[in-house]
Amino acid sequence: MNLLELRNAVKDRLAIRSDGSGNSLDGLITNAFVNTSIDDALNRVSMERDWWWLATTATLSFDTTDGDAALPTGFMRGNKLVINGSPVEPLPLDTFLDPNADSNAYGWLIYGNAVRITPIPTTTTTGTFYYFQSEPALSTQASPDTKSPLMPVVYHKCIVAYASHLCAARRQDEQRAALYLQEYGNFLKSMSDDNRATIQRRIKFSRAMSDAAWS
């Protein structure tokens, strides 16, 4: 469903009438508020799991000052980094900063708004970053009513349920808000079961060389 269809589905759940142009006739639950609730629902779903449909890649360029590359737009959680065709080991911050750590090992971590690698490269170095992105907000895009989530259509009722929960909460209708939240949880469980069958478990690895260098 696109944003228009999602908004209409939420309004139908809440029995909100519209005028001839599709604008909400409810002064509290306006079209704009429903749109915001849908965007909030997409954010909530993005935070719940590493969903397979949000898995993506970006090419990063690491500088020679700190070994940093800016996180890609929409970044949610990192997965793997590959440089020169080989995976790089993710490191905890304590290990990354330990002056007594193995200086011959490759490693990376998320620090602030950057992906940082060690050792610091002597020339600009590129790598492929595997990560999970967040669902983009629909209402802020050009021609928003025509835009659809990255989430497969089969799961869109989950968005409708959580957005309906937020709208019912705005009405202070606690009973319906709780009902829609429970419905969201039920959808989420089914989605999580599907996701476990699709996303492979992460594999830990170690890469060390006699003299670690990116180039």
Side-chain angles (χ1 to χ4, degrees), residues 105-147:
Y106 291 86
W108 70 276
L109 84 165
I110 304 296
Y111 192 74
N113 59 356
V115 182
R116 179 169 293 186
I117 59 174
T118 186
I120 297 173
T122 56
T123 61
T124 300
T125 299
T126 59
T128 301
F129 186 47
Y130 293 77
Y131 68 102
F132 292 92
Q133 62 185 316
S134 59
E135 284 276 2
L138 301 180
S139 66
T140 57
Q141 300 183 44
S143 303
D145 281 357
T146 66
K147 298 301 188 292

Side-chain angles (χ1 to χ4, degrees), residues 51-105:
W51 303 110
W52 60 264
W53 60 85
L54 297 180
T56 188
T57 62
T59 299
L60 302 184
S61 294
F62 297 92
D63 64 36
T64 58
T65 303
D66 298 305
D68 283 359
L71 287 171
T73 301
F75 170 82
M76 177 65 71
R77 283 176 289 269
N79 192 354
K80 297 187 184 300
L81 175 65
V82 175
I83 295 179
N84 297 332
S86 298
V88 186
E89 182 180 4
L91 299 176
L93 181 60
D94 287 348
T95 301
F96 196 93
L97 298 177
D98 185 357
N100 298 316
D102 184 0
S103 60
N104 295 323

Side-chain angles (χ1 to χ4, degrees), residues 7 10 13 26 28 55 59 72 79 88 124 141 147 155 181 190 192 196 199 209:
R7 185 172 64 246
V10 173
R13 293 295 303 275
D26 188 311
L28 194 61
T59 299
N79 192 354
V88 186
T124 300
Q141 300 183 44
K147 298 301 188 292
Y155 302 136
L181 186 60
S190 297
S192 297
R196 276 193 293 271
I199 293 289
M209 297 181 68

Side-chain angles (χ1 to χ4, degrees), residues 2 32 39 53 62 78 83 89 97 99 106 116-117 120 123 146 150 165 175 179 185-188 202 204 206 215:
N2 58 30
D39 287 340
W53 60 85
F62 297 92
I83 295 179
E89 182 180 4
L97 298 177
Y106 291 86
R116 179 169 293 186
I117 59 174
I120 297 173
T123 61
T146 66
L150 299 174
H165 157 71
Q175 184 174 0
L179 177 65
N186 292 337
F187 280 128
L188 194 69
R202 299 181 185 182
K204 292 186 177 181
S206 176
S215 61

